[in-house]
Amino acid sequence: MTAKTYPHLMAPGRIGGLQTPNRIVLPAMDMNVSEHGEIEQTEIDHYVARAAGGAGLIITGACAIAFPFGAASLKEPGLSDDKFIPGLKALADAIHAAGSKLCIQSTHHGKVARVDVANDRPVLAPNKPDYSYNMSALADSTPDELRRMGAATAGKQATYKEMSADDISGLISDWADAAERIAKAGCDAIEIHVAHGYILGVFLNQRDNKRTDEYGGPLANRARLACEVIRAVKERVGDKLAILVRVSGEEYGQEGGLSLEESIDASKLFEQAGADAIHVTGWGRNPFDNFTDGPLPSKVGAYLENAATIKKHVGIPVIAVGRMLPDISEKAIAEGKIDFAAMGRQLLADPELPNKLRGGKADQVRPCINCYLCVAENFFDDTPFCAVNPALGNEALLPLKPASASKHVVVVGAGPAGLESARVLTERGHRVTVIDKSDRLGGTMWFSTMTTPDNERLLRWFKAEIKRLRIAVKLNTPATVETIRALNADHVIVATGAVRPKPDFPGGDLPNVQTGDTLRAMMLGTATAQEAGFVLSNLGKVGRLSGLTKSPEFVRQFTKYWLPMGKNVVVIGGSLVGLELSEFLAERGRNVTLLHEKQQLGLPLAMPRRWTAVKDSLAHGVKIHRNVAITRITPKSVEWTEGAESFSAPAAMVVYADGTTAAAPLADKLKDAGISHDVIGDAGAVNYIHGAIHSSWDVAIEL
């Protein structure tokens, strides 16, 4: 087979007078590691890793033009004083040495300037907002999460200052001064942020901007402030910096948000004012309800068509962001829809993505699984981490340290913890054998691909890595002390996953009650008639023998037309698994009742994904009950109480999605046998894919 190449994505690009080595852009992703506006080495290391990985243009996270005024965090870089120039220069020099170009994103956060709120300063706005957000989603945030969010503003509420003529002229002057400092530092470009609820963005839309002077009313007036900033920057720095302007192609979730037609007209005005490129994003106006619409969409290529439409109306390059995966990016550039593709979370997951694409090694790109753990940290003014890349924010972990002496390591369990530890150990020079009692790789992650298709991309990557590294795998092999001794293991990694027992409610042992383990066994074709019933256990065996159920995509599609369970399903337990399973079943026409013994649903999903999952489940008709106490399960129903009231729901099948427990009985046997071992993943502590991969690195990089 010929290796897949990406000639259009890898072709040199031009923005104004700036030439980039390719069309891949790292968009702004706030790292929150600066110290009082000063760029620190940790931040430089982060960006350099992406530049060395081949990204053609690096855009920093938001930098405050009037720092600390108008800043969202004291941990974001400042642009308001010459004392910040040395840090900017150190970053620019390092990026250039790595072969890439540097763009500084500049902004004033306006009504979301948390530093101003915390310090009792009124936030700048076109006018005081005449609306408030629906914050009911916060019912699914824990008390600790609410405390951490509140800490960013010291628990205070915003007050507003309607911008005067002096405020406006001061803002324009501050922006031009910031641009001059960026140019003096030797950077290549400046991005002016006109989106995401920041000051220029709220002037642009008619929902926020109710002014009656020359800055309000028609679109040309609402775009006036942004155009004046662009012109002032252009006049100050001339051609020393390329000028990018970031604008929402569309705003979601509230009537009066920016429309595509308005964005087109605004982009034309920005070009006339001196912009060298338009960077098309999107914004969900209520961060507690629309965050996965924008600015961090769950949909692949979410803003591509908006960007393509805007490109038809401007003569300068257009950058598209929003889950621009390599294949759709290559196709879009080849078709002339866009000029550049911005890949944010993908480059957090694998900074080497561009180099791998250039080298024809696309199957080696570690995928982002769209879990939102990284961006959720910004709600807490904290540093992002990545579920699949433990080196994010700790680039010193790479390159991996070679093992001082090669050992034969047997990894028990072919789930994400086992596969990642096998991969890392092999890269370091150990010889690894993976054994698993099932007939396929993936463990519980394979089952999770039913409800979370993005996990399948990670599973495909693991399979490709196992093949590339020639790691020995023995499936259908139960692990015992004897089998491990027969393999002559020097060390054993126990990655056998969690256990999911049946509930201890009255009726919990009835045949219509399934757990995650019995459902997985049924899907794998290994469930007994006692576990799954005669019909379901035999259907599972037919699927296993035919090979059909080895394809997650086949199972996802097939179950849309036929699912071997009754119409009424009760899911007990509304954490990550129960919530996503409820939506999956409801999408397939089942009447689903979700019973949760606590308040917060969806834990430990990252907050934005959790909020969306709850909203989507309700939209699909899932009946959700919180703070319940299960009374009993019968062959045809589930009974429970909420406070003093009693309820029941019909149930042809009951899925117990609670009670997941870490357990590693094999480790106890290995200890008794005197065999060296470590326990990782859910076998040691239940924390799903993130915990599996991070715990595997804790062991595998040191062995």
Side-chain angles (χ1 to χ4, degrees), residues 543-566:
R544 174 170 60 87
L545 293 172
S546 67
L548 291 176
T549 56
K550 282 198 173 182
S551 166
E553 176 61 21
F554 172 83
V555 176
R556 276 196 302 273
Q557 295 303 322
F558 184 74
T559 53
K560 290 180 180 179
Y561 304 100
W562 186 74
L563 196 60
M565 61 177 64

Side-chain angles (χ1 to χ4, degrees), residues 93-109:
D93 290 346
I95 294 298
H96 294 155
S100 188
K101 304 294 183 179
L102 177 63
C103 175
I104 304 297
Q105 186 185 81
S106 59
T107 193
H108 186 295
H109 290 276

Side-chain angles (χ1 to χ4, degrees), residues 363-367 414-416 418-420 422-423 434 438-443 445-447 449-450 455-473 475 524 547-553:
D363 63 339
Q364 292 182 28
V365 174
R366 178 173 46 227
L419 296 178
E420 180 68 355
R423 187 189 70 81
V434 177
S438 80
D439 65 345
R440 68 198 71 187
L441 297 177
M445 182 175 66
W446 186 95
F447 189 66
T449 65
M450 298 299 101
N455 288 354
E456 188 176 356
R457 298 176 61 233
L458 183 63
L459 179 55
R460 285 198 300 266
W461 177 72
F462 273 129
K463 289 178 177 178
E465 287 293 278
I466 294 296
K467 182 178 180 180
R468 177 179 72 86
L469 296 169
R470 299 181 179 180
I471 297 172
V473 176
L475 298 175
L524 298 179
L548 291 176
T549 56
K550 282 198 173 182
S551 166
E553 176 61 21

Side-chain angles (χ1 to χ4, degrees), residues 97 159 215 252 310 549:
T159 58
Y215 292 97
Y252 308 94
I310 289 172
T549 56

Side-chain angles (χ1 to χ4, degrees), residues 616-637:
D616 288 350
S617 293
L618 290 169
H620 282 104
V622 176
K623 300 178 182 68
I624 295 175
H625 297 264
R626 307 166 189 260
N627 301 309
V628 309
I630 307 299
T631 306
R632 66 169 181 156
I633 301 170
T634 77
K636 294 184 178 180
S637 69

Side-chain angles (χ1 to χ4, degrees), residues 407-438:
K407 295 181 178 179
H408 179 209
V409 183
V410 171
V411 175
V412 182
L419 296 178
E420 180 68 355
S421 61
R423 187 189 70 81
V424 173
L425 288 166
T426 303
E427 293 273 24
R428 293 187 56 228
H430 292 294
R431 181 168 68 90
V432 178
T433 301
V434 177
I435 64 174
D436 194 286
K437 65 182 180 181
S438 80

